[in-house]
Every structure is written in structure tokens, then in C-alpha cells.
């Protein structure tokens, strides 16, 4: 997997896609206890398009409904994923360059971002918005 197109091809073959647009794929995972978690895959570029990156992100909830300090302390204990505020929502995300990307460098972060976002949503939001 060394290009965005090859990532999308792999995802189509191994996951059920909930939505797709140019440079974006939406996945919805069942995470247990009748809960689901939305995950977005984004194509990002650097160096005027010369460098392709994959960004995995998953929403946690509305930022103003959470104790952000406590959330950030939790995220600080994670090996994979950082927190970002986008349109009043807190997201957990991880980015990686696509050149020479191995399957485990995609699969493991995908699982960690999904589970971390769901755990934080359960802990700090209390429901299942995403």
C-alpha cells in the first residue's frame, strides 16, 4: 500500500464502506454493547502534492460537553492518536505517510483510533453519538 488509491482498494476489499468521496472514506464499526463508531480515512498531501499521507480520525463528541483537561490527560496515556478540535467536536486522529506503508502500519492504528474514540465517548459523553 503506497498510494491513496491502493489504500482505498484495500479498504474496499476488507471493510464495508459507509461513504466515499474524493480523498475521503467513511467507515462504521460495531464496537460491542450495541455501539458503533464512525471512522474517517482522509488523503492528505504535503510538499505541493508530492507527499501523500493517510489520516485516520474518529469523533468523540461535542467538546463543550466534556471535561477537555481530563480527556487530554487520557489521550496523553495513549501510544497512538492525538486529539483535535474540529467544528466544536473532539476527534482522535493519527496520520502516517503512505510511501512504504505496510499493512500493519494501517491496521493497528485503525483499530487503536476506533477503540480509543469509542472508550473516550463512553467515558466522557456517556452515550453513543458516533
Amino acid at each position: 500500500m503506497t498510494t491513496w488509491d491502493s489504500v482505498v482498494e484495500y479498504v474496499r476489499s476488507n471493510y464495508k464502506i459507509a461513504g466515499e468521496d474524493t480523498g475521503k472514506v467513511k467507515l462504521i464499526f460495531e464496537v460491542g454493547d450495541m455501539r458503533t463508531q464512525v471512522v474517517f480515512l482522509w488523503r492528505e498531501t504535503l510538499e505541493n502534492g508530492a507527499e501523500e499521507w493517510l489520516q485516520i480520525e474518529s469523533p468523540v463528541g461535542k467538546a463543550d460537553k466534556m471535561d477537555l483537561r481530563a480527556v487530554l490527560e487520557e489521550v496523553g496515556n495513549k501510544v497512538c492518536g492525538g486529539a483535535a478540535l474540529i467544528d466544536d467536536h473532539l476527534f482522535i486522529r493519527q496520520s502516517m505517510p503512505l510511501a512504504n506503508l505496510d499493512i500493519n502500519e494501517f491496521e493497528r492504528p485503525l483499530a487503536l483510533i476506533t477503540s480509543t474514540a469509542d472508550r473516550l465517548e463512553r467515558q466522557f459523553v456517556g452515550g453513543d453519538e458516533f
Side-chain angles (χ1 to χ4, degrees):
M1 290 192 327
T2 59
T3 66
W4 172 252
D5 291 337
S6 61
V7 169
V8 173
E9 182 179 317
Y10 174 83
V11 169
R12 281 189 195 122
S13 297
N14 292 280
Y15 297 97
K16 182 179 176 185
I17 293 178
E20 188 175 348
D21 203 349
T22 304
K24 173 183 160 185
V25 174
K26 178 181 177 181
L27 304 168
I28 301 176
F29 292 98
E30 293 185 22
V31 291
D33 296 331
M34 305 285 291
R35 297 175 62 83
T36 59
Q37 191 63 38
V38 174
V39 176
F40 297 100
L41 307 177
W42 297 92
R43 177 184 183 262
E44 299 291 346
T45 60
L46 301 175
E47 303 296 328
N48 294 320
E51 210 177 294
E52 277 189 308
W53 283 65
L54 168 64
Q55 183 170 283
I56 303 168
E57 71 179 16
S58 186
V60 175
K62 290 198 100 168
D64 63 356
K65 305 284 186 198
M66 290 180 260
D67 177 351
L68 291 181
R69 181 179 178 87
V71 171
L72 292 175
E73 287 173 351
E74 284 290 322
V75 172
N77 293 321
K78 305 299 178 203
V79 71
C80 181
L85 185 62
I86 304 166
D87 296 330
D88 299 325
H89 285 83
L90 182 79
F91 283 77
I92 301 300
R93 68 161 50 152
Q94 180 76 22
S95 300
M96 61 218 56
L98 285 172
N100 304 312
L101 183 71
D102 289 328
I103 190 65
N104 67 311
E105 296 169 323
F106 168 72
E107 287 287 351
R108 191 63 179 135
L110 178 63
L112 290 171
I113 294 301
T114 303
S115 62
T116 297
D118 180 61
R119 262 195 314 278
L120 292 172
E121 182 182 30
R122 187 184 308 226
Q123 182 177 353
F124 291 100
V125 178
D128 186 22
E129 285 184 49
F130 302 100

